[in-house]
């Protein structure tokens, strides 16, 4: 830690700000104020793991090789181990990246790397280092080894002596010269042991260490050392020296992504069509949900049968419906309750937004959506239900979506396209840690992301669209302009036809959509949007509070050219003429008595005004309250009413035994932990400089 703190003190303010901007977990409030505090955070295994997630395959390979060599590893030693020239540009770039992230740093004419052992406990399939094995040895054994190696012992404590012994073993020429003196059979066994993977093995799930080997000659010279498991293991430094001709894996060149030419304008037209279709699917499915809560499965999620019903009712295919429902839920536009899934208040605000803003909202939602609805079916899955989310899957998909889009934008020049077949291999090279978390699901996820991005207009004909490239730059204004260019301005007028249909070419405005949805039945929401007026739809508008004159005036206002067909005017007037001829008034219960005078008294009793009594006949009153509330009010007023059942027989009232309500259960706070707050990297850098 001290060597890292010393390195951090040597950095400029700009370099410190750049470092903590990349290692954002180091800026969690309270932010570190000294180099020592920052070093502790950077060396925490979880922080190093997060930094390794930012590395490409060759950068990880160089990191693993550095971990194998340990502290003081030089560029020359790493180049030899990786089988490249010392001045190799790819090796230099990988070392530069590792240093930028403070995963390694300059130390003793090389780099510090021993601290990487939590990331690579067995780098290059090597066993433990000599320092780890020698620390358990007695001082007499260490002095004996020092004498064999020709290392002075006088004035050195145990720690200093171990450092000297490890330094001697870390020089391959020393080890090879010593092994050359061994008997032939010992040399052969040592060579085989050096090549054998040193991963721990287990028996019945119990870790018992690595396989031991009895080599007295080698043990006397520190070429194998007794471990805590009671067996002899070859130190990592010795194994590296004896792996004659061995080179570690180093793949600086990414897998090729084959491309084919594509006309950019064709891709943009396809993207615009896809964006229009997803924006049309949202209100279509929302309209289907508006009829009442959509039932959910008791075990969680939306069942396939209900999904297909929604798709059919909204005129959508199953895949677009599946994606749309997931987007609505992930964006908070629907809410789940005990009664089912229903639109939330946020949906109304979304529906009132302009098409470009709607598109960008659902793209933002998709980037962090905790599901991949268009991925090929998992053969191990029990069902293909919707809205069955997994927290672990959410973290993987969020990273994979951003990685996929960025990789495609980087490797595909404008006018070039590819297919998802080879994309998974390229992503695995680009971010091995992230793709490794997906494991066997990687190709499924990549295929699903590919399909979903095409339906959102981020990809089209196998290439990144201008909207996608603009989104990746972080320029919000430019991204909004591209979204506007893809989508036509919303239409505020409709073509009303003699067959009682209304047609909108393009996307209707929120006001127009609300009017037509309230007064007509939707028929199509793909391509041209169409509605049909009918007696039932006009009656529904009147039921919603519109007057015939007001409804006709609003329709004239949105009609193209102000032209309303005579058939529609006749329809509105005809429905208005018949509307309300029969009226239905709510009533909680009825009061009946042969004593008309008593009913008149009850009707005029001031204490019973809350019942809002109305005389329906000389011997019948109607109350707006329920039977129980009405009986209680009459009894409180001094009357002795009798309750009846629906069939007119006496209602028997048994006294209720009161019991205490069950104590409320405390809400589970496990999912209510606040997100950590991050400090500004520039502020952290200034504080570190001030406390040098």
């Amino acid at each position: 830690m001290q060597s890292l703190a010393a390195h951090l003190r040597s950095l400029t303010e700009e370099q410190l700000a750049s470092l903590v901007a990349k290692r954002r977990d180091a800026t969690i409030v309270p932010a570190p104020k000294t180099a020592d505090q920052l070093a502790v955070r950077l060396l925490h295994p979880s922080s190093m793991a997060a930094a390794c997630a930012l590395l490409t395959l060759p950068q990880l390979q160089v990191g693993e090789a550095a971990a194998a060599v340990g502290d003081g590893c030089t560029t020359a030693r790493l180049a030899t181990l990786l089988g490249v020239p010392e001045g190799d540009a790819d090796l230099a770039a990988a070392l530069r990246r590792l240093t930028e992230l403070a995963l390694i740093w300059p130390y003793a004419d090389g780099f510090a790397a021993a601290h990487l052992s939590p990331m690579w406990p067995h780098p290059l399939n090597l066993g433990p280092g000599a320092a780890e094995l020698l620390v358990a040895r007695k001082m007499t054994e260490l002095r004996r080894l020092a004498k064999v190696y020709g290392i002075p012992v006088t004035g050195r404590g145990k720690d200093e002596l171990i450092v000297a012994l490890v330094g001697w073993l870390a020089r391959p020429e020393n080890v090879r010269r010593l092994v050359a003196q061994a008997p032939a059979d010992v040399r052969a066994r040592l060579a085989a042991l050096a090549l054998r993977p040193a991963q721990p093995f287990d028996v019945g799930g119990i870790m018992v260490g690595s396989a031991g080997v009895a080599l007295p000659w080698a043990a006397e010279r520190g070429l194998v050392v007794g471990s805590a498991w009671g067996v002899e293991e070859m130190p990592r430094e010795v194994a590296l020296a004896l792996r004659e001709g061995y080179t570690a894996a180093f793949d600086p060149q990414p897998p090729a992504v084959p491309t084919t030419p594509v006309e950019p304008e064709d891709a943009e037209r396809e993207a615009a069509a896809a964006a229009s279709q997803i924006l049309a699917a949202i209100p279509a499915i929302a309209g289907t949900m508006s009829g009442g809560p959509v039932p959910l499965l008791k075990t969680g999620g939306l069942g396939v049968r209900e999904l297909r019903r929604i798709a059919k009712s909204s005129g959508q295919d199953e895949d677009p419906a599946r994606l749309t429902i997931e987007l609505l839920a992930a964006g908070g536009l629907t809410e789940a309750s005990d009664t089912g899934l229903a639109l939330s208040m946020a949906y109304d605000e979304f529906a009132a937004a302009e098409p470009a803003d709607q598109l960008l909202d659902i793209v933002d939602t998709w980037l962090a959506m905790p599901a991949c609805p268009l991925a090929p079916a998992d053969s191990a899955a029990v069902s293909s239900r919707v809205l069955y989310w997994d927290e672990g899957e959410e973290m993987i998909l969020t990273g994979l979506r951003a990685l996929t889009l960025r990789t495609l934008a980087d490797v595909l020049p404008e006018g070039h396209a590819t297919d998802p077949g080879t994309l998974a291999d390229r992503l695995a090279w680009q971010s091995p840690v992230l793709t490794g978390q997906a494991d066997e699901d990687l190709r499924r996820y990549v295929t699903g992301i590919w399909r979903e991005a095409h339906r959102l207009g981020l990809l089209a004909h196998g290439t990144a669209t201008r909207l996608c490239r603009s989104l990746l730059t972080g320029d919000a204004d430019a991204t909004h302009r591209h979204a506007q260019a893809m989508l036509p301005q919303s239409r505020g007028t409709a073509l009303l036809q003699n067959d009682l249909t209304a047609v909108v070419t393009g996307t209707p405005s929120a006001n127009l959509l609300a009017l037509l949805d309230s007064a007509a039945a939707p028929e199509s929401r793909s391509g041209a949007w169409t509605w049909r007026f009918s007696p039932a739809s006009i009656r529904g508008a009147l039921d919603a509070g519109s007057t015939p004159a007001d409804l006709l005036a609003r329709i004239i206002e949105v009609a193209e050219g102000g032209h309303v067909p005579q058939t529609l005017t006749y329809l509105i007037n005809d429905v208005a003429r018949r509307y309300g001829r029969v009226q239905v008034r709510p009533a909680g219960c009825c009061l009946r008595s042969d004593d008309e005078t008593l009913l008149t008294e009850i009707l005029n009793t001031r204490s019973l005004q809350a019942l809002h009594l109305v005389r329906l006949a000389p011997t019948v009153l109607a109350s707006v309250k329920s039977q129980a509330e009405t009986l209680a009010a009459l009894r409180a007023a001094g009357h002795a009413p009798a309750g009846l059942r629906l069939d007119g027989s006496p209602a028997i009232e048994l006294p209720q035994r009161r019991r205490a309500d069950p104590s409320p259960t405390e809400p589970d706070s496990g999912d209510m932990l606040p997100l950590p707050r991050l400090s500004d990297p520039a502020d952290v850098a200034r504080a570190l400089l001030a406390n040098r």
Side-chain angles (χ1 to χ4, degrees), residues 54-73:
L54 303 175
L55 300 177
T56 62
L57 177 60
Q59 292 163 359
L60 282 171
Q61 290 169 332
V62 172
E64 183 177 7
V69 177
D71 284 343
C73 62

Side-chain angles (χ1 to χ4, degrees), residues 289-319:
M289 291 184 171
S290 296
V294 178
L296 298 173
L297 297 174
K298 292 182 179 180
T299 54
L302 182 72
V304 175
R305 179 180 299 177
E306 195 62 29
L307 166 67
R308 290 171 179 165
R309 183 193 68 79
I310 293 174
K312 183 177 180 180
S313 299
S314 60
Q316 303 293 316
D317 291 334
E318 187 172 325
D319 276 354

Side-chain angles (χ1 to χ4, degrees), residues 160-175:
E160 293 174 314
L161 190 54
I162 288 176
V163 170
L165 293 172
V166 171
W168 191 91
L169 289 172
R171 290 190 286 274
E173 61 274 12
N174 290 342
V175 175

Side-chain angles (χ1 to χ4, degrees), residues 193 196 203 211 338 385 444 467-468 471 663 689:
L193 184 59
R196 186 167 63 187
V203 177
D338 293 339
R385 71 182 84 177
R444 279 200 326 109
L467 175 66
C468 175
L471 182 70
S663 58
L689 284 177

Side-chain angles (χ1 to χ4, degrees), residues 14 31 34 89 98 149 319 349 386 400 443 506 566 641 658 675:
E14 291 76 13
T34 66
L98 291 167
Y149 298 163
D319 276 354
E349 182 180 348
V386 188
L400 268 182
R443 296 190 182 277
Q566 199 173 45
R658 295 187 177 274
L675 292 175

Side-chain angles (χ1 to χ4, degrees), residues 606-627:
R606 174 176 272 177
S607 62
L608 298 176
Q609 288 180 352
L611 299 180
H612 299 284
L613 297 170
V614 177
R615 194 160 217 147
L616 302 180
T619 58
V620 179
L621 299 181
S623 168
V624 299
K625 300 294 185 179
S626 66
Q627 183 185 39

Side-chain angles (χ1 to χ4, degrees), residues 7 62-63 66 73 78 94-96 98-106 111-113 115-116:
H7 169 66
V62 172
C73 62
L78 290 173
L95 290 172
R96 190 162 51 250
L98 291 167
T99 306
E100 288 173 354
L101 293 172
L103 287 170
I104 62 173
W105 56 87
F111 297 97
H115 59 279
L116 294 173

Side-chain angles (χ1 to χ4, degrees), residues 23 41 84 109 129 189 231 234 272 276 311 319 380 395 422 493 501 516 527 532 552 570 616 627 664 673 679:
R23 301 280 296 269
R41 289 202 183 186
V84 297
D109 299 325
R189 293 181 66 185
V231 296
M234 178 175 284
S276 297
D319 276 354
M395 298 297 293
T422 58
T493 60
T501 58
L516 293 178
R532 184 174 296 278
L552 185 56
Y570 285 165
L616 302 180
Q627 183 185 39
L673 295 176
S679 304

